[in-house]
């Protein structure tokens, strides 16, 4: 019996505000019965890595390669790695080892690929290694070890929106690569480089193709979404014959004209973020902001090389909610950063009380190899980190439960993600896929994924909501 191959999306809570569980490669684009070169593919890491995987798979399928779901049926296996923190490195090395043991022919790409010596020290028999977003190099390596198959593009068609690893009704839209920040706890710039924005016309064309393919929700992602266009000085591009600036606000305005949900992730709180809130209030993009604040104390933020302060952030959140009362804010924080005092941690807890954020993730500081924060004095004992994590989550769980309770009795327009034996599982504008809670619509089995309908919230806990279909559907 062939060993199953899955697309493992390993996203530690420490490194991102988005988590994606293990997914099996979609049968929509797999072909395990063909005679073409057969590729196995495993994708680890954040949604930005997932988009890289989709691009590689799209090119390989375009060239006539088959993508298969098991090691034994594959002629070659590609592992797209994550290498941001120690647990991600371990996951990647273990996955490479599994692929070698089960198949023997493995190409490695992704963030951990920048540490080729480290990979080959553990796994000297990998065929080739490249770093992140090295699409052309990966495809060339496949050509080297598994020659291009005979291919008739008229018989082996790839959809014009490419290969997607997400469900049909939502997709990630990556607008840039890299990051210009040098946060002391982060090594992403050393892996993915400085900010490189995609041409705005190219981004909008992809969004249009995705909509035509049945996508109802676009999740806009990058390392720093707010910085879109900074590297090209917000230059003018053209889309549908009209000039458009390579700028976050104009991009969102144009995306808002597509008539589908648009959700923003990885948003740094730059001043121009204020200009996006009216677009949310007008219903052009979803009233949802994913902003990794990381801390509240000024000194700790300076040590992190992060912008902001608690007082200014609270003022801005209050202003945003005045402009858009429905706004949902998700964030992540670090506790136990080197030198963090008890008083500074207490200030963070007070910030949670004052900010009343809807969705919050937290992790203990982890000394990632290569991060400059590792050199800071006064590291925090592991037991203290754990205690602070538990206290942090206890405070936030009460806040989250209260904010969800306040939604009981209200009606929301939701999108169905799946249907289980208990009924439909859906989300509103307030829940991003895979990382936030969900809305359960029990005993509704006739709905299909991607369906949108109005529901009334009847129950809530700390994470999820329960609803029934509204009597009137408009």
């Amino acid at each position: 019996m062939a060993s199953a191959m899955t697309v493992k999306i390993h996203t530690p809570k420490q490194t991102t505000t988005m988590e994606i569980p293990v997914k099996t490669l979609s049968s929509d684009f797999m072909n395990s019965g063909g005679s073409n070169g057969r590729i196995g593919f495993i994708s680890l890491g954040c949604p930005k890595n997932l988009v890289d995987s989709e691009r590689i798979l799209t090119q390989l399928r375009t060239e006539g390669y088959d993508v298969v779901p098991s090691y034994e049926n594959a002629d070659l296996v590609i592992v797209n790695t994550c290498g941001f923190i120690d647990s991600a490195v371990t996951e990647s090395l273990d996955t490479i080892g599994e692929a070698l043991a089960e198949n023997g022919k493995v190409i490695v790409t992704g963030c951990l690929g920048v540490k080729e010596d480290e990979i080959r020290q553990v796994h000297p028999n990998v065929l080739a290694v490249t770093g992140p977003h090295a699409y052309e190099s990966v495809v060339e390596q496949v050509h080297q070890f598994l020659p291009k198959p005979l291919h008739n593009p008229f018989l082996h068609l790839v959809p014009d929106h490419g290969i997607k690893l997400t469900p049909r009704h939502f997709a990630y839209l990556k607008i840039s690569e890299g990051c210009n920040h040098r946060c002391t706890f982060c090594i992403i710039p050393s892996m993915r480089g400085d900010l490189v924005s995609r041409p705005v016309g190219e981004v909008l064309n992809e969004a249009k193709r995705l909509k035509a393919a049945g996508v109802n929700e676009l999740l806009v992602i990058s390392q720093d979404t707010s910085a879109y266009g900074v590297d090209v000085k917000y230059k003018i591009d053209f889309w549908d014959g009209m000039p458009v600036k390579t700028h976050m606000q104009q991009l969102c305005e144009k995306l808002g004209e597509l008539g589908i949900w648009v959700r923003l992730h990885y948003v740094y709180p730059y001043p121009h973020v204020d200009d996006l809130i009216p677009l949310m209030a007008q219903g052009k993009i979803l009233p949802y902001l994913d902003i990794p604040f990381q801390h509240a104390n000024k000194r700790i933020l300076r040590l992190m090389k992060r912008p902001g302060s608690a007082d200014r952030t609270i003022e801005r959140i209050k202003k945003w909610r005045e402009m858009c009362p429905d706004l949902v804010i998700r964030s992540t924080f670090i506790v136990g950063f080197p030198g963090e005092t008890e008083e500074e941690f207490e200030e963070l807890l007070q910030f949670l009380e004052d900010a009343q954020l809807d969705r919050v993730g937290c992790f203990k500081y982890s000394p990632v190899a290569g991060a400059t924060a590792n050199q800071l004095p006064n590291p925090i004992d592991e037991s203290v980190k754990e205690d602070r994590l538990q206290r942090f989550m206890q405070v936030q769980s009460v806040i989250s439960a209260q904010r969800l309770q306040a939604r009981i009795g209200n009606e929301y327009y939701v999108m169905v993600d799946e249907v289980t034996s208990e009924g439909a599982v859906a989300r509103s504008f307030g829940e991003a896929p895979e990382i936030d809670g969900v809305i359960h619509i029990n005993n509704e089995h006739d709905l299909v994924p991607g369906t949108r309908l109005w529901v009334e919230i009847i129950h809530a806990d700390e994470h999820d909501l329960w609803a029934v279909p509204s009597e009137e559907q408009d």
Side-chain angles (χ1 to χ4, degrees):
M1 180 176 177
S3 300
M5 181 178 306
T6 57
V7 172
K8 300 177 182 177
I9 322 252
H10 172 72
T11 310
K13 293 179 182 178
Q14 292 95 321
T15 62
T16 180
T17 57
M18 303 188 75
E19 302 163 26
I20 311 294
V22 173
K23 297 181 185 297
T24 303
L25 283 171
S26 169
S27 59
D28 291 342
F29 65 87
M30 273 190 190
N31 179 359
S32 57
S35 58
N36 295 339
R38 298 168 299 181
I39 304 292
F41 203 106
I42 302 173
S43 184
L44 306 170
C46 64
K48 294 175 286 295
N49 228 33
L50 187 70
V51 173
D52 292 346
S53 298
E54 291 173 340
R55 182 166 177 176
I56 295 168
L57 284 168
T58 296
Q59 181 60 38
L60 292 173
R61 288 290 288 122
T62 300
E63 294 183 357
Y65 290 94
D66 290 330
V67 181
V68 297
S70 66
Y71 287 116
E72 292 182 15
N73 288 331
D75 298 312
L76 181 151
V77 176
I78 301 172
V79 180
N80 193 2
T81 60
C82 179
F84 184 42
I85 63 171
D86 291 345
S87 61
V89 171
T90 299
E91 176 83 2
S92 294
L93 291 174
D94 287 349
T95 301
I96 294 167
E98 177 184 292
L100 284 168
E102 296 288 344
N103 182 276
K105 296 180 180 179
V106 178
I107 290 175
V108 177
T109 189
C111 289
L112 188 59
V114 299
K115 302 178 180 179
E116 181 171 355
D117 292 344
E118 183 175 334
I119 293 172
R120 291 195 179 278
Q121 184 177 359
V122 180
H123 302 300
N125 295 326
V126 294
L127 298 177
V129 180
T130 62
H133 53 89
Y135 318 112
E136 293 180 0
S137 297
V138 175
V139 173
E140 288 173 0
Q141 290 166 355
V142 172
H143 295 165
Q144 179 182 348
F145 297 103
L146 187 60
K148 291 172 67 171
L150 294 174
H151 178 53
N152 184 334
F154 296 102
L155 297 178
H156 304 89
L157 297 178
V158 174
D160 60 5
H161 62 276
I163 302 303
K164 310 305 293 182
L165 296 176
T166 51
R168 183 173 182 266
H169 59 282
F170 71 81
Y172 295 107
L173 182 67
K174 185 159 67 169
I175 63 174
S176 65
E177 273 292 355
C179 182
N180 287 341
H181 292 286
R182 295 297 183 265
C183 301
T184 58
F185 54 82
C186 178
I187 59 172
I188 288 296
S190 67
M191 294 179 171
R192 291 185 171 262
D194 291 335
L195 177 72
V196 178
S197 299
R198 293 178 62 194
V200 66
E202 178 183 303
V203 173
L204 290 170
N205 280 332
E206 180 179 350
K208 191 174 181 179
R209 290 195 300 271
L210 288 168
K211 178 189 175 181
V215 168
N216 291 329
E217 178 178 7
L218 292 174
L219 297 101
V220 179
I221 60 170
S222 67
Q223 301 298 144
D224 178 2
T225 298
S226 307
Y228 179 64
V230 168
D231 56 313
V232 294
K233 297 181 173 56
Y234 306 119
K235 74 175 184 179
I236 300 290
D237 196 2
F238 287 87
W239 183 62
D240 279 356
M242 299 294 292
V244 184
K245 263 189 178 180
T246 309
H247 187 277
M248 190 65 208
Q249 182 179 351
Q250 290 209 11
L251 173 65
C252 287
E253 288 174 351
K254 292 301 180 182
L255 289 174
E257 295 174 2
L258 295 177
I260 59 178
W261 285 7
V262 177
R263 189 184 301 274
L264 304 182
H265 288 281
Y266 310 108
V267 177
Y268 277 72
Y270 299 146
H272 68 261
V273 172
D274 296 354
D275 299 328
L276 301 179
I277 308 303
L279 299 179
M280 298 179 180
Q282 296 162 16
K284 294 183 177 179
I285 60 177
L286 294 182
Y288 181 101
L289 275 178
D290 174 9
I291 303 181
F293 291 121
Q294 305 298 11
H295 212 278
N297 176 263
K298 284 185 179 181
R299 189 184 75 88
I300 295 298
L301 286 170
R302 283 198 300 269
L303 290 176
M304 291 178 171
K305 291 192 175 179
R306 296 284 298 183
S309 68
D311 293 342
R312 290 200 300 271
T313 300
I314 294 297
E315 289 176 4
R316 293 185 72 194
I317 290 174
K318 181 179 179 182
K319 177 183 175 183
W320 294 342
R321 285 175 170 157
E322 288 174 351
M323 290 190 288
C324 183
D326 287 333
L327 178 64
V328 167
I329 303 175
R330 147 170 279 282
S331 189
T332 50
F333 295 86
I334 300 171
V335 297
F337 193 78
E340 180 189 58
T341 66
E342 177 62 23
E343 291 76 17
E344 290 165 338
F345 173 69
E346 292 283 351
E347 183 179 340
L348 176 57
L349 295 184
Q350 185 58 52
F351 174 82
L352 291 181
E353 297 281 5
D354 295 339
Q356 293 288 299
L357 303 176
D358 300 88
R359 306 282 187 179
V360 171
C362 183
F363 65 91
K364 299 178 290 185
Y365 173 75
S366 174
V368 182
T372 57
N374 299 340
Q375 312 307 318
L376 293 173
N378 305 315
I380 307 300
D381 184 79
E382 191 63 30
S383 62
V384 176
K385 291 182 189 178
E386 181 62 30
D387 175 69
R388 290 178 180 173
L389 174 64
Q390 297 304 320
R391 290 161 61 194
F392 179 102
M393 294 310 299
Q394 184 176 9
V395 170
Q396 181 56 39
S397 65
V398 174
I399 295 171
S400 296
Q402 290 173 344
R403 295 193 69 81
L404 291 178
Q405 287 287 327
R407 295 172 68 177
I408 294 176
N410 294 332
E411 293 190 341
Y412 294 92
Y413 198 43
V414 303
M415 184 182 305
V416 175
D417 277 338
E418 62 176 327
V419 178
T420 70
S421 59
E422 295 183 353
V425 180
R427 294 176 294 106
S428 71
F429 66 84
E431 294 84 34
E434 313 289 4
I435 58 168
D436 294 328
V438 297
I439 299 176
H440 299 278
I441 314 173
N442 289 349
N443 302 317
E444 292 291 332
H445 298 94
D446 295 332
L447 301 171
V448 297
T451 299
R452 288 187 281 188
L453 72 156
W454 284 94
V455 299
E456 180 183 349
I457 305 300
I458 59 172
H459 178 69
D461 63 15
E462 293 180 6
H463 305 288
D464 295 340
L465 297 159
W466 280 258
V468 294
S470 300
E471 292 185 4
E472 294 186 10
Q473 296 289 331
D474 184 359

